[in-house]
Amino acid sequence: MGGGISSWQANPKLINNLVCNNYSAGKGGGIHLFQSDIIFENNTIVNNKSDGVGGGIAVDNRSPDIINSIFWGNEDNTGNNQVFANDDPSFYNCI
């Protein structure tokens, strides 16, 4: 899970990152977050692929604020290509 970045029950800060061209056989081609309270700001998540859900990012059991970030060209096998979340993340100034 999490082809580029995987966070399990942690509190990471992801600021000013480029996460691109990653692959996951599970959730989150670019990033997978599980019960992680995250600071997520000014990131570009592009051209990632998941055979599960969330080609760009998959968020499980949290509702992070995702700020000033770009999601583009990500793919998964469910049609939920950019972002998958089983809670309710908030997006501010995202493309």
Side-chain angles (χ1 to χ4, degrees), residues 20-95:
C20 65
N21 301 321
N22 296 289
Y23 167 78
S24 173
K27 295 180 180 180
I31 300 170
H32 180 240
L33 306 172
F34 177 76
Q35 295 181 348
S36 293
D37 293 317
I38 187 170
I39 295 173
F40 194 94
E41 188 169 351
N42 298 325
N43 295 292
T44 299
I45 314 302
V46 62
N47 293 332
N48 299 286
K49 183 172 179 166
S50 171
D51 283 344
V53 294
I57 183 172
V59 181
D60 284 321
N61 302 318
R62 286 294 188 268
S63 298
D65 290 338
I66 298 175
I67 303 165
N68 297 328
S69 294
I70 298 169
F71 296 87
W72 191 264
N74 301 292
E75 299 178 16
D76 70 10
N77 69 355
T78 67
N80 189 8
N81 295 328
Q82 305 302 324
V83 178
F84 167 82
N86 61 12
D87 280 337
D88 192 20
S90 297
F91 294 88
Y92 302 95
N93 300 318
C94 294
I95 298 174

